[in-house]
Every structure is written in structure tokens, then in C-alpha cells.
Amino acid sequence: AQSVTQPDARVTVSEGASLQLRCKYSYFGTPYLFWYVQYPRQGLQLLLKYYPGDPVVQGVNGFEAEFSKSNSSFHLRKASVHWSDWAVYFCAVSRTGGYKVVFGSGTRLLVSP
Amino acid sequence: NAGVIQTPRHKVTGKGQEATLWCEPISGHSAVFWYRQTIVQGLEFLTYFRNQAPIDDSGMPKERFSAQMPNQSHSTLKIQSTQPQDSAVYLCASSLAGGNTGQLYFGEGSKLTVL
């Protein structure tokens, strides 16, 4: 069965600094991969998605992620963090053509001034 | 596009009482999912409907939880004899194309507190 590990429960970044949030997946085959963001008191919103193809995918608000089959990873990056990026970020995996989306435990991003 | 609508946003019940949570998916979406979110367990899949038919309820606690989708515009999650461990945020999501793209649109959630 597929699973997702986000090793960092909390990450603190200074505003304007670069960001990387880590995600490792476990899946036999080529998965669909996602990053979702949850702002305070809101539901989850899709940031970006990977379907088999270009390993670097662009998302909203300057976010991007890179798929690595050899490392079983799908790390999220942003060149310059803004205070409004303060949120919880979830990595997720789905089987190609399947319906069940499995989420990681989330990484809380704190942005310091 | 109004998004996925969940009601109530907050519900407080006493132990042993019943709680019903409502979800209105995005119009035209044929897939509806329920997830439970807690600090300890994170996001747990509960159940999935496609074209109103129950497809997968493997995440539902069998004895007290039930979900229905009587029409394409709403789904309900009912918890009988609520227990303190049922306290969580219950998230509803909908998706196009039977959900097999994996892209979900979430509501803001219903926070259930069982005293």
C-alpha cells in the first residue's frame, strides 16, 4: 500500500529565505503526487500535482516540487518565503488511475520576520 | 463556484449523543470523500462515493459511523453514541471524474467536540 512520510513536523524559515519541505513516498510503480496547503481554519487546497512526465512541477504562489524516482521523494521548494505562506503543508500520493489519496502527517511552516 | 460546503462548522455533543455532519459537493463532481483529521492521526480516509454509490468505506469505524449520499448534491456522515475519541475535524472533499485524478477539493471542515 502507498504511504507518505514527512519527516519534519515543523519548519521555521525567515521571510525572504528559501524553503524546502521534505516528502518521501512508498509506492510500487509510478504514483500521482500532490502537495496541499492548509491555512488556519480552512480546508486543504491543492498547491501542485505531479502526473508522470516532467519531474519538476510548478504550482501556485511560486511553489515548485521535484519528483525523484530513485530517491522516492517529492520535495517542495520556494525561492523566497512570504509571511502569508504560514500554514501546514501536506504531501499526498495516489495510485495511478486510483481514487484513494493518502496524506502525510503534514509540516507546519512558521515564517519569522 | 461555491466550493465544497460543510455544515455545521462546529458541533459540540455530549458523550452518547448522535452527531450528523453535512456536505454539499461542488456541482458536477461525481466523487465525494470523507476524511477525519486529528493531531495524533493526521488525515485519515473514511469513505468514498462515486455517482452517489458507496464504493469504499474501509476507513469507517464499523459500529457507530455511517455515511450516505441520497442525492448528488449532498452527503451525510452520522456518528451514533459519540465518544470523546470521535472529537476531530471531519473534512469532506469532492472530485471530478470519479476521483481517479487524485485532485481533491476540500470543504472547510466540521469540528466535532465530544464532551
Side-chain angles (χ1 to χ4, degrees):
Chain A
Q2 61 262 40
S3 66
V4 176
T5 301
Q6 294 181 249
D8 305 310
R10 180 180 294 196
V11 169
T12 301
V13 176
S14 299
E15 190 172 15
S18 63
L19 167 72
Q20 176 171 282
L21 300 183
R22 297 184 292 165
C23 172
K24 300 275 283 185
Y25 68 90
S26 173
Y27 178 74
F28 184 75
T30 301
Y32 291 167
L33 292 160
F34 309 85
W35 277 97
Y36 284 82
V37 60
Q38 187 175 33
Y39 298 106
R41 296 175 298 281
Q42 295 187 26
L44 280 73
Q45 303 171 31
L46 183 70
L47 265 183
L48 50 80
K49 60 189 176 189
Y50 168 80
Y51 296 156
D54 190 331
V56 179
V57 292
Q58 304 295 324
V60 298
N61 298 332
F63 286 94
E64 68 172 29
E66 184 168 3
F67 168 72
S68 171
K69 188 169 185 178
S70 60
N71 294 324
S72 297
S73 66
F74 189 58
H75 301 329
L76 181 70
R77 302 189 296 243
K78 187 172 184 178
S80 177
V81 169
H82 188 263
W83 66 267
S84 60
D85 296 325
W86 186 306
V88 182
Y89 293 79
F90 293 91
C91 184
V93 64
S94 176
R95 180 174 60 88
T96 304
Y99 59 83
K100 187 178 289 187
V101 180
V102 176
F103 289 85
S105 54
T107 297
R108 184 176 299 274
L109 174 64
L110 307 176
V111 181
S112 61
Chain B
N1 188 344
V4 176
I5 299 171
Q6 290 190 249
T7 55
R9 290 295 310 279
H10 303 275
K11 185 171 183 65
V12 179
T13 66
K15 182 179 175 180
Q17 293 183 328
E18 182 177 288
T20 300
L21 309 177
W22 296 71
C23 172
E24 180 180 332
I26 293 172
S27 177
H29 283 192
S30 58
V32 172
F33 302 79
W34 285 93
Y35 283 80
R36 177 168 63 182
Q37 185 177 24
T38 61
I39 299 293
V40 174
Q41 298 293 333
L43 276 158
E44 299 175 278
F45 168 84
L46 293 177
T47 190
Y48 162 57
F49 294 87
R50 184 171 62 222
N51 294 322
Q52 299 171 230
I55 302 298
D56 183 347
D57 67 353
S58 60
M60 295 274 277
K62 294 304 180 193
E63 293 184 350
R64 298 181 293 105
F65 283 60
S66 62
Q68 294 183 324
M69 191 162 184
N71 57 60
Q72 64 185 6
S73 63
H74 89 272
S75 173
T76 59
L77 178 67
K78 182 181 292 186
I79 308 171
Q80 296 178 311
S81 186
T82 54
Q83 303 297 310
Q85 61 265 29
D86 299 331
S87 296
V89 176
Y90 290 84
L91 292 168
C92 177
S94 68
S95 180
L96 284 166
N100 61 2
T101 63
Q103 181 173 343
L104 305 179
Y105 296 80
F106 283 86
E108 294 183 333
S110 292
K111 184 176 182 179
L112 175 66
T113 302
V114 182
L115 302 177

